[in-house]
Amino acid sequence: MTEVIFKPGRQDIIVRREFDAPPGVVFQAFTDPGLIPKWWGSRRFATTVDTMDVRRGGEWRFVARNNEDGTEYGFRGVYHDVNPGQSMVSTFEFEHGGPGYLQLVTETFEESDGRTVYTQAGLFQSIEDRDGWIPTDMAKGIRESMGMLAGRISGGAR
Amino acid sequence: MTEVIFKPGRQDIIVRREFDAPPGVVFQAFTDPGLIPKWWGSRRFATTVDTMDVRRGGEWRFVARNNEDGTEYGFRGVYHDVNPGQSMVSTFEFEHGGPGYLQLVTETFEESDGRTVYTQAGLFQSIEDRDGWIPTDMAKGIRESMGMLAGRISGGAR
């Protein structure tokens, strides 16, 4: 299942999950704008893709709408590097500011016996920023989102 | 003069310097491709601008040539955000890899009595990456570069 790791004394959150499909397929699923509304932001939010231009220098912007009260939250960033089937580096900004509003995100897709080990490192500007970004249900939301995406990938996930 | 700060237990290097010109002028100087060869990379390197498209999603790439042995080093990144006269967020990659090859850079230009307090925070993926990036003359090189830029800004610097 999905590991969510935040070690003491570090400024990042690591998310790791194995998918039962090869890296090319998993990468394709992660970068498919049509799939984003099906998994991004967990079940609490309805996410729409405003922009998603997956290439070096391309921009992305998603809007997540809280299903309970209708409040909308914008997220955006740019792609620093895109290596299809292998890795991506991008920026992540929560448009409403606050501690932890800005992250540098590194994602890798590693092949292991025909499956994929996906690792995402979200780097914050300080330990306090990282810790301020962690509401009590953060890990739960990430696990839920990863599970929703896994359900969309042929072969499922373990 | 230029402060270069790397605190224990943090993953960043902070550079701070005051320039004797308003933020609009200092920002303009920092983002002028024609000026980059005059200051970027200290006196040890001759820097050329391959790309410098200062806008959200724009790319930058510089090549620094060691004056002693002619070895060339490439650096590149993308602009996450550009607020003229105020701030910039960008990525920074040393193309030859190694620890600390990737940074998220946040720059602010703050007005103070008609002068500008420039602050640059370079964020690394780990404390080890940051420390591995610091050769003994790193701070010296940064101070030299900042001084070279200050000499190009009308009004000079203190």
Side-chain angles (χ1 to χ4, degrees):
Chain A
M1 299 313 297
T2 306
E3 292 177 88
V4 181
I5 305 157
F6 30 101
K7 290 190 180 163
R10 290 187 59 94
Q11 294 179 206
D12 56 13
I13 296 175
I14 309 289
V15 175
R16 185 171 289 131
R17 176 167 182 129
E18 206 166 295
F19 291 92
D20 198 8
V25 172
V26 176
F27 182 92
Q28 178 61 37
F30 266 92
T31 55
D32 181 349
L35 273 188
I36 292 292
K38 309 290 186 191
W39 68 276
W40 205 89
S42 82
R43 290 188 208 287
R44 288 179 54 211
F45 296 90
T47 302
T48 53
V49 174
D50 179 28
T51 309
M52 192 175 182
D53 184 14
V54 188
R55 60 173 179 83
R56 188 179 280 197
E59 294 189 58
W60 69 269
R61 182 170 187 271
F62 302 160
V63 177
R65 186 173 184 278
N66 186 313
N67 288 324
E68 283 182 17
D69 62 14
T71 312
E72 292 190 335
Y73 301 94
F75 300 85
R76 64 161 292 270
V78 295
Y79 298 100
H80 168 82
D81 214 359
V82 177
N83 299 299
Q86 295 177 50
S87 64
M88 281 200 291
V89 177
S90 58
T91 56
F92 175 104
E93 177 180 333
F94 179 55
E95 292 178 348
H96 306 259
Y101 81 102
L102 183 65
Q103 300 175 39
L104 181 66
V105 179
T106 305
E107 295 166 282
T108 56
F109 304 78
E110 291 170 286
E111 198 274 335
S112 172
D113 291 329
R115 300 200 305 274
T116 300
V117 179
Y118 167 77
T119 307
Q120 178 198 92
L123 176 65
F124 294 79
Q125 290 175 297
S126 69
I127 294 171
E128 297 71 33
D129 275 8
R130 184 196 67 168
D131 293 350
W133 185 250
I134 306 176
T136 49
D137 60 355
M138 184 275 298
K140 178 169 172 280
I142 289 174
R143 290 195 181 96
E144 190 173 283
S145 290
M146 288 289 115
M148 289 162 77
L149 176 60
R152 296 280 168 172
I153 293 176
S154 65
R158 54 189 81 199
Chain B
M1 298 312 298
T2 305
E3 292 177 88
V4 181
I5 306 158
F6 30 102
K7 290 190 180 163
R10 290 188 58 95
Q11 294 179 205
D12 56 13
I13 297 175
I14 310 289
V15 175
R16 186 171 291 132
R17 178 169 180 126
E18 205 167 296
F19 291 92
D20 197 8
V25 172
V26 177
F27 181 92
Q28 178 61 36
F30 267 92
T31 55
D32 181 350
L35 274 188
I36 293 290
K38 308 291 186 191
W39 67 276
W40 204 90
S42 81
R43 290 188 208 288
R44 288 179 54 211
F45 297 89
T47 301
T48 53
V49 174
D50 179 28
T51 309
M52 192 176 183
D53 184 14
V54 188
R55 60 173 178 85
R56 189 179 278 198
E59 294 189 57
W60 68 269
R61 181 170 187 273
F62 303 161
V63 177
R65 187 173 184 278
N66 187 312
N67 288 324
E68 283 182 16
D69 63 14
T71 312
E72 292 190 335
Y73 301 94
F75 300 85
R76 63 161 291 270
V78 295
Y79 298 100
H80 168 81
D81 214 358
V82 177
N83 299 299
Q86 295 177 51
S87 63
M88 280 200 292
V89 177
S90 59
T91 57
F92 175 103
E93 177 180 334
F94 179 55
E95 292 178 346
H96 306 259
Y101 80 102
L102 183 66
Q103 300 175 40
L104 180 66
V105 179
T106 304
E107 294 166 283
T108 57
F109 304 78
E110 291 170 286
E111 198 274 335
S112 173
D113 291 330
R115 300 199 305 275
T116 300
V117 179
Y118 168 76
T119 306
Q120 179 198 91
L123 176 65
F124 294 79
Q125 291 176 294
S126 68
I127 294 172
E128 298 71 33
D129 275 9
R130 183 196 67 169
D131 293 350
W133 185 251
I134 307 176
T136 48
D137 59 356
M138 185 275 298
K140 179 170 171 280
I142 289 174
R143 290 195 182 94
E144 191 174 283
S145 290
M146 289 289 114
M148 289 162 78
L149 175 60
R152 295 280 168 173
I153 292 177
S154 65
R158 56 192 78 200

